[in-house]
Amino acid sequence: MMMRHGGAMNTAMMFAKKGLLGGEVGVPNKWGYLVRSTPLVRKTSTFTANLSDQKDNKNVDKTPPSSQGGAGDNKDEKGITSYWGVQPSKITKPDGTEWKWNCFRPWETYKADVTIDLTKHHKPTTFLDKMAYWTVKSLRWPTDIFFQRRYGCRAMMLETVAAVPGMVGGMLLHCKSLRRFEQSGGWIKALLEEAENERMHLMTFMEVAKPKWYERALVITVQGVFFNAYFLGYLLSPKFAHRMVGYLEEEAIHSYTEFLKELDKGNIENVPAPAIAIDYWQLPQNSTLRDVVEVVRADEAHHRDVNHFASDIHYQGRELREAAAPIGYH
């Protein structure tokens, strides 16, 4: 009994040190951000909780929630309650301000490598390469007609399509890894990283270009068609699918270069960079839209390299897992 009691005390002390029994304890992580753990509340059981609720039921106000000032009146005062009580950690920046983004964390941010070669181009030689190249070129023609020089909306539309291949490829490799009981060589993570990075591009440009209703409808249509087409294309020929994405990223580099030219000419207002972009790419606080377009263009150049590399692996008769995936290569 004494041993059990002593073990319970040691466990309690351990949780107390970690801030899990009342209060919060902040611990700086390796990135310099203060992470505060939320209190852990251990409830006994649903049955016991129900009995307690029945005992206290006489003292409960019978007034409907709508007249008590529910979540609809002030969402900041009341959080979402759950029996399990799972709460995210509170993260503080080095300057003491609270980290406000739940869609990504400080350790997922990075400084973009804008020195990457933007002029690299894979010359199509094989039949599949030429088919991938001209498929992308044919997709650009209606895009030029519809958006013309509205590069903010054009970028928004481009990112809704560019975020699909990484997710589809990662999903199919994930299922393949499960079926064959084998490692992926890191390619599942690399492709999902690419999809997430493209999605963050979209979240950024949503702050700059407010899409109209018909542009939203176009996105739904294009995404539905492209997702299914790319899914089938990847099943039939991964070498073709990755090559096509490589050429798609080359076109994205060209589009963002034109975007920068319009900004430099003054045809597009160089507004301050959105807050989400400043935190995600670790940009200076006085950054502008031009700075954002530059880092996004660099990301697209990295995606170009990854997908052309993946296609080359398949052309050599090998599988992706046989080559180390460029994880973290945005």
Side-chain angles (χ1 to χ4, degrees), residues 14-241:
M14 179 183 70
F15 280 121
K17 288 180 180 180
K18 292 185 177 181
L20 298 179
L21 294 178
E24 296 181 351
V25 178
V27 180
N29 60 14
K30 66 180 182 179
W31 296 278
Y33 293 87
L34 193 64
V35 180
R36 291 190 176 94
S37 57
T38 55
L40 176 65
V41 180
R42 177 66 180 268
K43 295 188 178 180
T44 54
S45 68
T46 308
F47 177 72
T48 308
N50 290 338
L51 288 178
S52 177
D53 291 342
Q54 291 176 3
K55 290 180 181 179
D56 298 338
N57 196 32
K58 297 179 181 179
N59 300 325
V60 176
D61 189 3
K62 303 296 184 179
T63 310
S66 59
S67 59
Q68 293 182 6
D73 297 334
N74 192 343
K75 295 182 179 180
D76 295 332
E77 290 184 1
K78 287 189 176 182
I80 298 175
T81 58
S82 169
Y83 171 78
W84 303 105
V86 179
Q87 296 293 331
S89 300
K90 294 181 180 178
I91 303 173
T92 305
K93 294 181 180 181
D95 60 3
T97 59
E98 186 175 353
W99 181 264
K100 63 179 180 178
W101 309 108
N102 290 327
C103 54
F104 65 99
R105 294 306 194 187
W107 46 89
E108 297 173 319
T109 66
Y110 63 99
K111 289 184 179 294
D113 178 18
V114 295
T115 63
I116 188 171
D117 186 0
L118 301 173
T119 62
K120 288 171 63 177
H121 167 66
H122 184 278
K123 186 177 180 180
T125 53
T126 66
F127 171 75
L128 284 180
D129 283 358
K130 293 178 180 178
M131 188 168 68
Y133 179 78
W134 288 110
T135 298
V136 172
K137 286 295 185 180
S138 63
L139 291 175
R140 182 179 174 178
W141 177 71
T143 305
D144 290 340
I145 294 177
F146 186 83
F147 291 104
Q148 297 181 358
R149 293 193 174 276
R150 292 182 298 138
Y151 285 100
C153 295
R154 186 193 190 101
M156 181 196 64
M157 179 66 183
L158 175 66
E159 300 303 340
T160 61
V161 173
V164 169
M167 180 60 65
V168 171
M171 176 185 66
L172 291 176
L173 286 179
H174 174 75
C175 294
K176 182 179 180 181
S177 176
L178 297 178
R179 289 194 310 272
R180 295 188 176 184
F181 306 98
E182 63 186 16
Q183 296 291 335
S184 69
W187 279 95
I188 296 174
K189 185 175 179 63
L191 293 177
L192 293 182
E193 272 187 356
E194 176 186 315
E196 175 64 12
N197 183 246
E198 297 283 10
R199 192 184 65 85
M200 288 304 299
H201 294 175
L202 175 63
M203 296 299 102
T204 298
F205 285 112
M206 283 289 293
E207 300 293 325
V208 178
K210 304 299 181 182
K212 299 179 176 58
W213 68 267
Y214 56 86
E215 291 173 335
R216 290 177 179 269
L218 180 63
V219 165
I220 295 173
T221 304
V222 172
Q223 188 184 81
V225 173
F226 183 75
F227 180 94
N228 289 283
Y230 189 81
F231 181 87
L232 293 175
Y234 201 100
L235 286 176
L236 294 173
S237 176
K239 69 176 71 172
F240 166 79

Side-chain angles (χ1 to χ4, degrees), residues 218-286:
L218 180 63
V219 165
I220 295 173
T221 304
V222 172
Q223 188 184 81
V225 173
F226 183 75
F227 180 94
N228 289 283
Y230 189 81
F231 181 87
L232 293 175
Y234 201 100
L235 286 176
L236 294 173
S237 176
K239 69 176 71 172
F240 166 79
H242 283 293
R243 188 69 79 204
M244 190 184 76
V245 176
Y247 288 130
L248 185 66
E249 300 296 356
E250 290 183 16
E251 289 298 325
I253 295 171
H254 174 75
S255 295
Y256 285 119
T257 300
E258 294 298 315
F259 197 163
L260 289 173
K261 290 179 181 179
E262 293 297 313
L263 284 167
D264 293 338
K265 292 177 182 177
N267 296 332
I268 299 176
E269 185 181 0
N270 191 22
V271 297
I276 190 172
I278 291 175
D279 285 340
Y280 183 67
W281 282 285
Q282 300 178 14
L283 296 172
Q285 291 297 320
N286 60 347

